[in-house]
Amino acid sequence: MKRLTKEKDSFIFIIVAIFLGNFLAFINSGTVNVALPSIMRELHTNLNSVQWIVTGFMLATGTIAPVVGFLGNKFGYKQLYVYALIGLTVSSALCGFAGNIITLIIFRTLQGVCSGLIQVATMTIIYQSVKKEKQAMAISLWTVSVMVAPAIGPTLGGLLTNSFGWKALFFSCVPVGIIATLCASFFIPSGVKEKTAALDFLGLLTVVIGNVSFLLYFTNGPELGWFSVSAVTLLVVGIIGMVLFIWRELTVKEPLLNLRVLKYPKFLLGTLLNCLISIGLYSSVYLIPLFLEEAQGASSFVSGVVMLPGALLMIAVTIITGKFNNKFDPGWFVLGGAILLSVATWAFSGLKMNTTVTTITLFMVIRYIGVGLATSPIATISMSVIPPELVGHATSIANWLRQAVAALSIAVFSSILAIRTQTHIAELKAHKVGEALKQGAFLLASNDTFLVAFIILVFSIPLSFFMFSRKQHNL
């Protein structure tokens, strides 16, 4: 009896230690979006610069993902997790003390590195530290921490920003980070280290160069000129970096990422669909707060509240979808989610100055329901075809691509928004002046940007039909 109680207590403590850190890592990706207008005003910067607070974090999170396996084997996943928590806590404090946009972006990127380590390491810790019969429950609780953080992140971010200023977003992470670090240090058992673990440094170097060059091209394209020597150089370096990375990973004995898992059609299609859904999700998470605050003059708190109902429903829909995965072909959930996400994105391309907060909230609910319907089934379908020995590589590749595409999409949307805003200012200046001119141009530019997101998302609908099981098609 004492042994059972001890095992139960150990399970609870391990889950608490994992939940706190994972929650902190994921909530950092969502709280800042609603504070971007406030940061722009206080630090006297522009949209192209401030969006790096988001894209730098996401790019760092995605880029570090392939290295987690090497670092975990080298130092042990518990140690890696503790070091990452310390790094996240310190970098959060540094973000709060940042006095200009450059230092904020640097410390925010460091936050992204630590968050990326945490997100991947916690999943491995579950498999190493939790008994097999309880792993399913542990993974479910891990998923809750992943989904609760984005659900309350924008609302919490809006409340803190509106009440105490944007610096409170970062300072509030410090006490949580300290508690999470202590819990991880005391409650998570030490894992096995493999001192012989080898790092594919050339693979890491090429993927970083490729990712960063692409992002710089799409971020700075409007300022440099899309076909200027500097911009084209960035584009060419990005292409060469990614080509070399692919060649390296397909030829080296111990690749950073085993790209051969992409030979499985359903995994390839599932990864592509996940990337499209990430584009759709982040287009609204990034653009809607900007529209509400810049075009309609709403507060950060209102921007956060608009996100909350849909995000909470997304959690419920994801849980319900998981329960019915075995009763219906999950391809139906993927198709339904793709349709809802596309329809709501198209609706956002027709925003008006007098569009009510209730209407925007309704379409955000539809978008989040679409994400909740599609995300879990896509993962189930795509991972079901991967052999057990390649699951780690497949998970790392899917996470890397999702984060990289999300970061790239924000850079692209920022560029489109900036370009179209200037275009509409030129068109409207004969009819409007001052703040009315700025708001009108920003409104029309937001519609243009959502239209581009809709065109991209539409491709998810035909791709969804390939996610149906073969058995279903034969009926």
Side-chain angles (χ1 to χ4, degrees):
M1 187 61 142
K2 288 184 179 179
R3 182 182 176 184
L4 289 174
T5 303
K6 185 178 180 181
E7 288 181 0
K8 182 179 179 180
D9 291 342
S10 175
F11 172 79
I12 293 172
F13 288 136
I14 290 172
I15 292 302
V16 168
I18 289 174
F19 187 97
L20 284 174
N22 217 35
F23 176 83
L24 188 62
F26 275 92
I27 203 168
N28 266 292
S29 66
T31 54
V32 178
N33 293 316
V34 297
L36 294 182
S38 298
I39 295 173
M40 278 196 294
R41 288 191 293 269
E42 187 168 328
L43 296 184
H44 308 290
T45 186
N46 57 34
L47 183 62
N48 280 336
S49 296
V50 80
Q51 62 93 16
W52 271 95
I53 297 172
V54 179
T55 53
F57 178 93
M58 296 180 64
L59 182 63
T61 301
T63 302
I64 199 67
V67 192
V68 176
F70 164 76
L71 294 176
N73 289 334
K74 189 76 172 177
F75 301 105
Y77 279 93
K78 174 187 174 176
Q79 287 74 13
L80 178 62
Y81 182 42
V82 171
Y83 296 153
L85 283 171
I86 294 172
L88 182 58
T89 304
V90 172
S91 60
S92 296
L94 291 173
C95 284
F97 287 116
N100 58 66
I101 190 64
I102 299 299
T103 54
L104 180 56
I105 291 171
I106 292 172
F107 296 141
R108 177 72 172 156
T109 303
L110 179 58
Q111 262 195 331
V113 171
C114 297
S115 294
L117 292 172
I118 290 169
Q119 291 173 22
V120 182
T122 47
M123 178 70 77
T124 306
I125 289 172
I126 287 176
Y127 286 109
Q128 287 185 346
S129 306
V130 177
K131 291 186 176 295
K132 191 172 183 179
E133 59 269 20
K134 291 188 176 181
Q135 285 179 0
M137 175 61 71
I139 294 298
S140 297
L141 294 172
W142 183 92
T143 305
V144 169
S145 71
V146 170
M147 301 196 72
V148 168
I152 70 171
T155 306
L156 179 61
L159 179 61
L160 288 173
T161 302
N162 197 53
S163 302
F164 307 104
W166 62 267
K167 291 178 179 288
L169 300 178
F170 301 108
F171 288 134
S172 63
C173 294
V174 175
V176 180
I178 292 173
I179 294 172
T181 302
L182 292 173
C183 288
S185 300
F186 286 111
F187 300 139
I188 295 178
S190 299
V192 179
K193 302 178 185 178
E194 295 181 14
K195 292 295 185 182
T196 58
L199 173 64
D200 177 17
F201 180 76
L202 184 57
L204 176 62
L205 180 64
T206 52
V207 73
V208 169
I209 290 174
N211 275 354
V212 173
S213 297
F214 273 132
L215 196 58
L216 285 172
Y217 173 75
F218 284 105
T219 302
N220 298 318
E223 296 178 4
L224 297 174
W226 294 106
F227 300 105
S228 66
V229 174
S230 300
V232 172
T233 300
L234 286 172
L235 181 61
V236 171
V237 170
I239 293 172
I240 292 174
M242 295 311 299
V243 169
L244 288 176
F245 170 69
I246 293 171
W247 170 80
R248 172 71 177 177
E249 299 313 286
L250 292 176
T251 56
V252 72
K253 183 179 179 181
E254 296 183 18
L256 188 69
L257 289 176
N258 191 342
L259 298 180
R260 291 183 179 84
V261 297
L262 294 172
K263 71 180 180 181
Y264 298 96
K266 284 206 170 178
F267 175 75
L268 176 61
L269 288 170
T271 301
L272 180 57
L273 274 168
N274 253 332
C275 289
L276 290 175
I277 288 174
S278 293
I279 291 173
L281 177 62
Y282 283 101
S283 66
S284 65
V285 170
Y286 177 68
L287 292 171
I288 287 299
L290 288 172
F291 166 76
L292 288 168
E293 297 178 47
E294 294 295 306
Q296 293 193 332
S299 67
S300 300
F301 178 67
V302 171
S303 298
V305 170
V306 165
M307 304 285 186
L308 185 60
L312 293 176
L313 275 172
M314 179 178 68
I315 296 174
V317 169
T318 301
I319 294 172
I320 294 171
T321 301
K323 290 184 177 181
F324 285 97
N325 257 345
N326 295 327
K327 296 184 179 180
F328 301 97
D329 190 320
W332 287 109
F333 296 122
V334 178
L335 178 60
I339 292 173
L340 289 178
L341 192 53
S342 299
V343 168
T345 303
W346 175 79
F348 279 141
S349 69
L351 291 171
K352 301 182 184 303
M353 198 63 73
N354 60 353
T355 301
T356 64
V357 170
T358 302
T359 301
I360 294 174
T361 303
L362 174 62
F363 285 115
M364 286 301 299
V365 166
I366 294 173
R367 287 172 61 81
Y368 274 122
I369 289 175
V371 173
L373 279 174
T375 302
S376 179
I378 288 174
T380 300
I381 296 168
S382 59
M383 294 302 295
S384 66
V385 299
I386 301 297
E389 65 273 13
L390 295 178
V391 167
H393 283 281
T395 303
S396 295
I397 287 173
N399 185 66
W400 164 59
L401 287 175
R402 179 176 57 82
Q403 293 285 0
V405 167
L408 187 61
S409 68
I410 290 177
V412 172
F413 290 145
S414 296
S415 295
I416 295 172
L417 189 62
I419 292 170
R420 295 303 294 168
T421 298
Q422 292 304 314
T423 300
H424 289 301
I425 285 177
E427 294 171 349
L428 297 174
K429 65 182 180 181
H431 307 285
K432 297 182 178 182
V433 294
E435 194 65 24
L437 173 61
K438 178 183 174 183
Q439 291 179 335
F442 199 91
L443 166 67
L444 296 174
S446 297
N447 290 346
D448 295 341
T449 310
F450 271 116
L451 182 60
V452 173
F454 165 71
I455 293 171
I456 295 171
L457 272 171
V458 162
F459 288 99
S460 66
I461 296 176
L463 285 176
S464 298
F465 286 99
F466 293 99
M467 302 304 284
F468 285 92
S469 68
R470 188 171 299 177
K471 180 179 179 182
Q472 179 73 20
H473 289 310
N474 292 335
L475 289 178

